[in-house]
Amino acid sequence: MKTLKNNLKSTFLILLSTFILTGCSKDDNPAVIIQEEVITTLTATLVPVGGGTTITFKSLDLDGKDGPNPPVITVSGDLLADTTYNGSMEILNETESPAEDVTEEIKTLDEEHQFFFQATNSLATFTYVDFDSDSNPLGLEFTLTTSATPSSGAIIITLRHEPNKSASGVSDGDIANAGGETDVQATFPVTIK
Amino acid sequence: MKYYILIVACCFINIVHSQNCDSRFYGEVHDFHDGSPIIAATIYIETLDKYTTTDIDGKFSIANLCDGELIVSVSHLGCETKRLEIQISGDSFYVINLEHHIEELNEVKVEGKTITKLTKTSQETLLKTDAIERFSAFSLGDALKQISGVSSINTGNLIVKPVINGLHSSRIIVMTNGVRLQDQEWGIEHAPNIDLNTVGSVNVIKGADALAYGGDAIGGVIILQPSNVSLKDSLYGKTIISGHTNGRGFSLNSSLTKTYKKGWYLGAQATMKRFGDFETPDYNLTNTGLNAKGFSIKSGYKTFERGFNFYYSYLNNEIAILKSSHIGNIEDLVNAINSQQPLVVEDFSYNIEAPRQDVTHQIIKADFYKRFKKFGRLQIQYDFQNNQRFEYDIRVGDDKDKPAIDLTLKTHTIRTNLKVDSKSDRIYKFGLNVGYQNNFANPETGIRRLIPDYDKYDAGAFAISDFRLSDKTNLNFGLRYDFSRIEAKKFYLTSRWEERNYDVDFSNIVIDDLGSQLLTNPVFDYHNISASAGIAYKINDNDSFMFNYGLSNRAPNPSELFSDGLHHSAARIELGDLRMKQETSNRISGTYKYNRNALSINLEAFYNLINDYIFIEPTGTELTIRGAFPVWSYNQTNASLLGLDVTANYKFNEHWSLNNKSSFIKGRDLTKKQALIDMPSFKTVNILGYSNKKWLQLNTELQSELVFRQNEFPDNNFNVYIPTIDSEVLLDISSPPPTYHLLHFQSDITLNLSKQTNLNIGLNITNIFNTSYREYLNRLRFFADDLGRNIMLQVKFNY
């Protein structure tokens, strides 16, 4: 029984010292996590076919998806009725300096991305101009054709990562069955005159 | 050399031996605690039909005995008569120490299962092995719902957290095998890491009266104890196998224990569970499977006077979370709530895909105890727990297989307990504990940490006294002090830091400014005082009542303090608050027990006033570049909880019985003068039982479970702008689901294969009529129905 007690005593001492040692270590600071694949900025540039004022839509959210600040939405001007615009998209990560051009990454991984365009009040219709290596739509280049009558509403641009491009309607630009993860969703208030 | 033989349930013997046939069996009988002689104890030699009683000095003698083995039974008033085998060779002098306190003998027993309650004046319920084994394939939370007043808060049907009188998570202490479970219990989607198959009995104590376990159990304490180890040369075990139609699952558990008369023991146990997708009456719940593996080993040396125990357990749960509950932004949530159908329904599969959890919990425990004659019992224990939690969300690109959450929580605790019980009418318990906890959030996830790295230091001390004023009256007083310090290193987004106004209140804790992020070093100290007082009074054999008061304080947990961003698996932004204060609970309770012939009734009422009650509720939306997300914020208010739990049992005859368990609770936010969120609704369970020992010990039960709609809830609904339809839509995140009624059937028979072995076969059907329903306290109620019918066949083999 004596040896048993001694054994127990030493076991407890060892445990106790482990306890104290682990208790006193570590004064280092944890590593900061810089979120990868952050998107802060979406800019759609709309150039009217046959000349006229170029319109830009911009959504800028410098504190990203975790931050409390809402994205700043800017629309540079009104769209003209019954007009076709050639659209192009630029996606940036402005938390880095200089800003990282995410557009290039989307181009490289074009099968994994697709933009979707929606308009309220039948303000406009959209067609895809660029396609990925599987001939499915991508949407970095697109056309926007405004309705014939002046009105106002919103245009919603969504970028999905890893959508199911073969799902019903997706290649026609219908987001309903697309799945995947939303990288960007921006709503732009527009007026057509 | 003396050696010890221990008797059954009540008695304890100490033997010296010599040699011959004309032998005399003589000795003394003493009370173990104060050493006083016990008068008129009966010493009965069954084999020879001879008996004697002890005299006024506690002495006895039986002459003219032959050498050999004798079967002796020793009994005394207040003790059960039990048999004891002893060797006689020559004149043998025995000192027999009788043990009056039955509960003391839980630690050492030769046979039988004298599992007792741990408190005399608290609202305590005991679940024995039989009641637990039925839930071998399920979780702790499921098993505890048998108790009136205990419900659960769920994420699906596999993540089940017990709710005691409306309170859960950090407000409940789970003690397993003497170890306070530390497994990141703060989150609603963090279920207790317990394998029920390691558990022999469960005591549930409502409220914070059991101060020996901790001062912050505002809700209650759940004490899980392993099966008792018998003190005889024996090898025994059991195997439980069950198959289930819903989820097409099986569960297998097996245990084996070797014991020695001298007190040594060695045991091992292993469990395996595998389930695929569960189903509702109408559709599959895609991605809801389970893969669980666990084992434990125990060893030690136990006698009444001293002993030590070593315990190790490993449990890994891989739990799939309903695929439809993964939502992108708030539009998906609106669609899910309004469609009332899961968005993803696929064919049955055993695959466990993201979103999923993979949690491993390990416990190492060593303890030593020594009992001192005429004084009491001292115990010292060390335990270490390692909790590794991975949460995988649906991620894309290179991060596909990376967890979104990767936390390692390590906890060391040393505790000592001293029980002074030399006077059976005045028992004192003292205890000290110190603990160190470290949480490490792995940055490899690439996602900002929701719970930061932190160190936590705890120290506590308590004193409890139990007084028996008379056979009718018991009193209990307890006092406890706890200190805890949390030192965290936490990154905040600068924009969040400013939005929360922390730049005004906490500018001194910023230790590094990285531009868009700040590294902060919050250090918080909490001093908690808790107290309890209780009285139990027995009016007569039929009626008794208890009255209790408990004061307790709980320090805010890391989630309540530090949450500050998108919780991916919940698709919501969760915001804690560094300004959180401790919660203070004042709880009074009264219990009335009625017991006459066939009818027994137990009424438990309570009123719990909680100042600075911390709760999480939906508070709006935040718009980000990815769309809008719902925001859930931790807030504090003054709250009151009022409730009544009823258990009634009526025996028609030896075969038929009727049992009712009902619980009612009303939770109020006293500041806002409205109902509290997430309170269990009124529930009543009626059980018609039939049992017949002659028919292979048949037990059958038909159970009706009626859960009413929760009509008292705060209205946290708000309008959400949905861009794709260009309009505002009401997000109904508050309305509870309707009343539901379920019928369950349960039956089992036992076949005795030999003296030592038996086979128990059970057939259980839950939700017999395959009723569609949703439960208010299931977080996945927004996305899908609850479970449909399940038929379970369980075979239990005891050997």
Side-chain angles (χ1 to χ4, degrees):
Chain A
M1 224 49 216
K2 264 258 153 58
T3 45
L4 175 71
K5 255 190 204 167
N6 286 336
N7 282 341
L8 271 168
K9 263 183 199 162
S10 48
T11 315
F12 273 111
L13 279 174
I14 291 165
L15 290 172
L16 190 70
S17 51
T18 335
F19 174 78
I20 290 161
L21 286 174
T22 37
C24 298
S25 65
K26 264 199 219 171
D27 244 353
D28 329 327
N29 289 336
V32 67
I33 296 174
I34 307 290
Q35 307 240 106
E36 292 157 29
E37 298 178 15
V38 167
I39 294 171
T40 59
T41 318
L42 175 144
T43 313
T45 308
L46 302 167
V47 181
V49 176
T53 315
T54 296
I55 305 293
T56 53
F57 292 175
K58 189 173 176 185
S59 171
L60 173 66
D61 189 4
L62 285 175
D63 67 356
K65 62 184 162 56
D66 276 346
N69 298 336
V72 179
I73 304 283
T74 44
V75 176
S76 68
D78 296 338
L79 296 171
L80 297 173
D82 207 9
T83 307
T84 298
Y85 292 84
N86 284 324
S88 62
M89 211 71 86
E90 185 187 45
I91 307 291
L92 298 178
N93 172 9
E94 295 190 67
T95 58
E96 293 180 16
S97 178
E100 180 194 2
D101 188 356
V102 184
T103 324
E104 288 307 311
E105 196 187 314
I106 294 171
K107 263 184 207 158
T108 319
L109 299 169
D110 51 6
E111 303 97 334
E112 292 180 11
H113 294 89
Q114 185 174 346
F115 286 89
F116 294 89
F117 306 92
Q118 289 159 283
T120 62
N121 301 334
S122 306
L123 284 177
T125 56
F126 305 87
T127 52
Y128 289 98
V129 172
D130 56 346
F131 295 87
D132 66 19
S133 41
D134 298 329
S135 306
N136 287 314
L138 176 59
L140 281 169
E141 308 290 330
F142 62 98
T143 64
L144 181 161
T145 306
T146 54
S147 61
T149 49
S151 61
S152 64
I155 287 174
I156 302 110
I157 301 177
T158 308
L159 170 61
R160 281 279 167 93
H161 197 169
E162 292 196 356
N164 179 4
K165 291 198 181 189
S166 56
S168 162
V170 174
S171 60
D172 300 325
D174 181 357
I175 198 170
N177 298 315
E181 184 165 305
T182 301
D183 276 351
V184 181
Q185 186 178 58
T187 305
F188 301 99
V190 287
T191 303
I192 294 183
K193 60 175 187 185
Chain B
M1 177 64 192
K2 292 179 178 177
Y3 62 96
Y4 299 99
I5 294 177
L6 289 130
I7 323 181
V8 221
C10 237
C11 307
F12 175 76
I13 282 190
N14 190 337
I15 301 169
V16 183
H17 63 239
S18 53
Q19 192 67 257
N20 217 325
C21 189
D22 243 358
S23 305
R24 192 162 69 98
F25 172 37
Y26 70 112
E28 292 169 11
V29 179
H30 293 163
D31 183 300
F32 181 87
H33 291 274
D34 55 14
S36 61
I38 288 185
I39 307 159
T42 307
I43 317 289
Y44 176 60
I45 303 173
E46 287 187 16
T47 25
L48 305 172
D49 195 23
K50 284 187 171 183
Y51 73 92
T52 185
T53 52
T54 52
D55 62 16
I56 197 154
D57 299 318
K59 291 182 177 170
F60 69 90
S61 172
I62 301 177
N64 303 324
L65 295 175
C66 287
D67 280 359
E69 201 177 71
L70 290 181
I71 297 174
V72 180
S73 65
V74 185
S75 60
H76 186 250
L77 205 68
C79 293
E80 253 180 278
T81 305
K82 296 280 178 171
R83 290 159 75 242
L84 152 79
E85 290 176 17
I86 55 162
Q87 289 289 334
I88 285 280
S89 48
D91 284 1
S92 306
F93 176 77
Y94 291 75
V95 173
I96 301 174
N97 286 306
L98 274 189
E99 169 54 48
H100 273 111
H101 307 192
I102 289 175
E103 70 266 28
E104 302 303 323
L105 284 156
N106 282 326
E107 295 138 18
V108 271
K109 260 189 272 130
V110 175
E111 60 180 83
K113 285 178 180 145
T114 319
I115 305 164
T116 54
K117 293 192 176 179
L118 298 165
T119 60
K120 289 196 173 67
T121 62
S122 297
Q123 293 179 334
E124 180 179 350
T125 310
L126 174 68
L127 291 183
K128 294 183 183 171
T129 311
D130 288 352
I132 297 165
E133 281 172 343
R134 272 191 213 161
F135 292 86
S136 173
F138 302 99
S139 60
L140 173 67
D142 292 316
L144 295 184
K145 280 198 270 188
Q146 297 177 85
I147 299 170
S148 178
V150 181
S151 48
S152 72
I153 189 156
N154 292 24
T155 302
N157 56 299
L158 296 171
I159 301 174
V160 185
K161 303 203 69 170
V163 178
I164 301 177
N165 288 152
L167 302 171
H168 57 83
S169 301
S170 300
R171 297 187 187 92
I172 290 180
I173 293 179
V174 179
M175 298 292 299
T176 175
N177 203 346
V179 177
R180 179 173 178 172
L181 198 64
Q182 298 282 357
D183 60 345
Q184 312 184 17
E185 65 282 356
W186 48 72
I188 285 176
E189 70 289 358
H190 301 185
N193 288 277
I194 293 289
D195 177 6
L196 265 186
N197 294 297
T198 61
V199 175
S201 65
V202 184
N203 298 65
V204 175
I205 301 167
K206 295 172 182 171
D209 301 322
L211 294 182
Y213 305 100
D216 51 354
I218 290 176
V221 186
I222 298 165
I223 299 146
L224 311 168
Q225 303 194 84
S227 303
N228 284 308
V229 172
S230 311
L231 282 179
K232 57 184 178 184
D233 289 325
S234 165
L235 179 68
Y236 60 91
K238 75 177 172 197
T239 297
I240 302 176
I241 304 169
S242 67
H244 305 252
T245 56
N246 200 342
R248 302 184 203 173
F250 74 91
S251 155
L252 171 66
N253 166 60
S254 199
S255 66
L256 199 62
T257 308
K258 173 81 186 116
T259 59
Y260 298 90
K261 198 156 65 179
K262 286 193 168 175
W264 296 93
Y265 71 94
L266 180 65
Q269 167 275 337
T271 306
M272 218 181 122
K273 291 179 204 174
R274 191 81 175 90
F275 282 85
D277 294 341
F278 288 88
E279 59 184 17
T280 70
D282 300 314
Y283 42 78
N284 275 330
L285 293 165
T286 298
N287 201 45
T288 51
L290 167 74
N291 186 3
K293 302 177 284 283
F295 72 92
S296 63
I297 49 172
K298 57 182 179 181
S299 182
Y301 173 79
K302 275 187 169 186
T303 66
F304 184 69
E305 279 197 337
R306 66 172 77 83
F308 68 89
N309 301 289
F310 173 79
Y311 176 74
Y312 171 78
S313 75
Y314 170 93
L315 177 64
N316 173 257
N317 279 317
E318 213 186 328
I319 302 172
I321 296 169
L322 183 70
K323 195 163 259 171
S324 302
S325 72
H326 172 87
I327 57 168
N329 55 34
I330 205 155
E331 190 173 343
D332 296 341
L333 182 60
V334 171
N335 290 340
I337 291 175
N338 291 346
S339 76
Q340 290 285 303
Q341 289 287 327
L343 298 168
V344 185
V345 177
E346 290 165 10
D347 289 341
F348 173 85
S349 159
Y350 282 103
N351 292 344
I352 294 176
E353 290 168 0
R356 65 187 173 94
Q357 300 182 352
D358 186 344
V359 185
T360 305
H361 194 79
Q362 297 174 82
I363 299 174
I364 295 173
K365 182 195 101 161
D367 74 288
F368 170 78
Y369 65 89
K370 167 103 177 85
R371 194 179 286 275
F372 301 93
K373 267 189 194 177
K374 304 182 196 177
F375 179 63
R377 180 182 187 275
L378 178 72
Q379 188 195 17
I380 301 172
Q381 176 180 310
Y382 165 79
D383 58 78
F384 169 67
Q385 297 176 74
N386 189 83
N387 187 273
Q388 172 64 57
R389 180 176 192 88
F390 296 108
E391 287 183 19
Y392 294 85
D393 194 27
I394 297 175
R395 297 179 77 176
V396 293
D398 298 337
D399 295 334
K400 194 165 253 154
D401 301 316
K402 264 194 205 170
I405 289 177
D406 176 351
L407 297 173
T408 310
L409 185 71
K410 294 189 164 113
T411 313
H412 302 260
T413 311
I414 294 175
R415 59 177 84 230
T416 67
N417 286 305
L418 175 67
K419 182 173 179 179
V420 179
D421 56 2
S422 56
K423 302 269 190 300
S424 64
D425 57 347
R426 269 175 287 157
I427 295 171
Y428 302 96
K429 291 173 202 161
F430 303 95
L432 287 172
N433 64 279
V434 288
Y436 166 71
Q437 184 173 76
N438 172 265
N439 184 56
F440 172 66
N442 192 344
E444 298 291 309
T445 58
I447 290 176
R448 291 187 58 256
R449 305 163 176 93
L450 210 57
I451 302 292
D453 290 6
Y454 70 79
D455 291 314
K456 189 165 170 271
Y457 305 88
D458 292 292
F462 69 85
I464 297 171
S465 51
D466 282 302
F467 299 110
R468 201 178 68 216
L469 296 187
S470 68
D471 285 346
K472 289 184 167 179
T473 315
N474 279 292
L475 280 177
N476 170 286
F477 296 101
L479 193 63
R480 185 178 172 109
Y481 167 76
D482 286 279
F483 167 77
S484 72
R485 162 173 287 195
I486 186 162
E487 293 182 5
K489 294 264 176 75
K490 160 94 183 154
F491 287 98
Y492 279 92
L493 285 177
T494 311
S495 57
R496 178 70 70 197
W497 186 255
E498 287 163 3
E499 183 251 351
R500 308 293 288 172
N501 279 326
Y502 291 160
D503 52 336
V504 179
D505 295 353
F506 296 100
S507 59
N508 56 328
I509 63 169
V510 176
I511 54 175
D512 199 4
D513 187 342
L514 302 162
S516 62
Q517 292 195 46
L518 299 170
L519 177 62
T520 63
N521 181 203
V523 178
F524 297 121
D525 288 347
Y526 299 98
H527 301 272
N528 292 336
I529 288 180
S530 26
S532 72
I535 179 169
Y537 180 72
K538 213 171 154 183
I539 302 165
N540 51 46
D541 284 347
N542 305 322
D543 304 273
S544 62
F545 70 81
M546 294 190 299
F547 197 75
N548 247 287
Y549 165 75
L551 163 74
S552 55
N553 284 284
R554 180 181 74 87
N557 65 38
S559 163
E560 291 159 346
L561 290 168
F562 302 122
S563 294
D564 78 322
L566 190 59
H567 190 176
H568 283 253
S569 67
R572 64 193 200 188
I573 292 169
E574 291 180 358
L575 299 177
D577 199 328
L578 291 176
R579 301 176 187 91
M580 284 289 171
K581 290 178 287 189
Q582 288 127 297
E583 285 181 341
T584 304
S585 151
N586 283 279
R587 184 183 190 271
I588 50 169
S589 65
T591 307
Y592 172 67
K593 284 178 205 261
Y594 173 95
N595 201 337
R596 257 184 196 85
N597 304 325
L599 179 66
S600 67
I601 298 173
N602 188 20
L603 299 176
E604 297 180 326
F606 70 93
Y607 178 76
N608 197 349
L609 180 68
I610 309 176
N611 289 326
D612 299 315
Y613 174 78
I614 304 172
F615 64 107
I616 189 167
E617 62 175 353
T619 49
T621 59
E622 251 176 31
L623 192 63
T624 76
I625 192 149
R626 291 172 53 178
F629 288 89
V631 178
W632 288 64
S633 308
Y634 285 103
N635 287 322
Q636 287 193 291
T637 188
N638 292 334
S640 77
L641 299 167
L642 176 70
L644 178 68
D645 303 327
V646 181
T647 308
N649 201 34
Y650 183 76
K651 274 193 160 64
F652 296 99
N653 53 43
E654 63 168 316
H655 300 307
W656 292 93
S657 67
L658 187 64
N659 181 281
N660 174 281
K661 290 171 197 165
S662 301
S663 49
F664 164 82
I665 179 168
K666 198 176 167 81
R668 294 292 297 171
D669 179 333
L670 299 175
T671 312
K672 286 194 194 160
K673 297 194 167 47
Q674 62 179 21
L676 278 183
I677 193 168
D678 289 343
M679 282 294 130
S681 56
F682 176 66
K683 175 179 165 178
T684 180
V685 176
N686 285 290
I687 302 166
L688 180 66
Y690 176 83
S691 61
N692 194 329
K693 286 219 156 45
K694 287 176 193 157
W695 300 350
L696 300 169
Q697 301 176 48
L698 171 76
N699 291 304
T700 57
E701 266 181 30
L702 188 64
Q703 187 176 336
S704 140
E705 180 183 351
L706 178 59
V707 181
F708 285 84
R709 180 176 185 269
Q710 177 56 278
N711 288 322
E712 298 193 0
F713 59 94
D715 185 354
N716 293 312
N717 294 343
F718 47 84
N719 285 320
V720 179
Y721 173 73
I722 304 295
T724 51
I725 53 169
D726 189 27
S727 60
E728 297 244 323
V729 173
L730 179 76
L731 179 62
D732 184 359
I733 207 159
S734 308
S735 300
T739 299
Y740 62 88
H741 178 243
L742 307 175
L743 269 185
H744 313 298
F745 173 78
Q746 203 159 280
S747 67
D748 72 271
I749 52 168
T750 305
L751 307 166
N752 287 320
L753 303 177
S754 73
K755 198 182 160 194
Q756 304 288 341
T757 56
N758 69 56
L759 190 66
N760 177 287
I761 302 168
L763 175 72
N764 290 5
I765 308 171
T766 42
N767 195 357
I768 295 172
F769 292 115
N770 215 12
T771 306
S772 294
Y773 70 101
R774 295 188 184 201
E775 163 57 44
Y776 178 52
L777 291 184
N778 189 338
R779 220 167 53 91
L780 299 191
R781 73 182 161 93
F782 298 125
F783 308 104
D785 284 345
D786 228 303
L787 295 193
R789 183 191 299 125
N790 180 39
I791 302 171
M792 165 179 121
L793 188 67
Q794 177 168 289
V795 178
K796 185 167 77 191
F797 185 40
N798 283 308
Y799 42 88

